[in-house]
Amino acid sequence: MSYVLVEDVAARWERYERIAAPLREAIPDGLILHAAGRTEEGFRIVEVWDNEEAWRRFSGNLGDDSPNVVRALVPEHIIYGGREQT
């Protein structure tokens, strides 16, 4: 089952750049999508992973600079390139 994360972080964009640095070196196994952008309060990260285990393997290597609040979403309705999956 795909695993989706939405992280709202009240911090400067420079903190995001430190958090995202490992993604520039190599795309982690299981990562389908990573999107990030600035918000009025800081920045938001949205990620889609193959499953929760893949995300946990990656997040275990982030260290103390990772966001403290993570909201998980287990999708019940997904559309990939026009093909619906349930």
Side-chain angles (χ1 to χ4, degrees), residues 1-5 30 48-59 72-74:
M1 171 66 67
S2 295
Y3 189 71
V4 179
L5 291 154
V48 180
W49 292 83
D50 285 337
N51 52 52
E52 184 176 357
E53 182 181 327
W55 174 75
R56 291 202 179 279
R57 277 194 310 270
F58 172 73
S59 66
L73 170 67
V74 178

Side-chain angles (χ1 to χ4, degrees), residues 7-84:
E7 302 170 276
D8 289 309
V9 183
R12 298 176 54 87
W13 186 251
E14 291 77 19
R15 180 167 179 213
Y16 165 76
E17 291 175 332
R18 287 193 307 273
I19 293 169
L23 296 175
R24 291 186 186 95
E25 297 169 12
I27 297 172
D29 289 338
L31 179 63
I32 297 170
L33 170 84
H34 173 93
R38 299 172 200 256
T39 65
E40 290 182 17
E41 296 81 21
F43 58 89
R44 177 175 294 141
I45 301 170
V46 178
E47 293 179 339
V48 180
W49 292 83
D50 285 337
N51 52 52
E52 184 176 357
E53 182 181 327
W55 174 75
R56 291 202 179 279
R57 277 194 310 270
F58 172 73
S59 66
N61 297 323
L62 289 178
D64 293 338
D65 202 30
S66 62
N68 296 326
V69 177
V70 175
R71 293 180 291 158
L73 170 67
V74 178
E76 295 184 27
H77 180 239
I78 303 170
I79 298 176
Y80 291 106
R83 297 168 73 184
E84 186 170 355

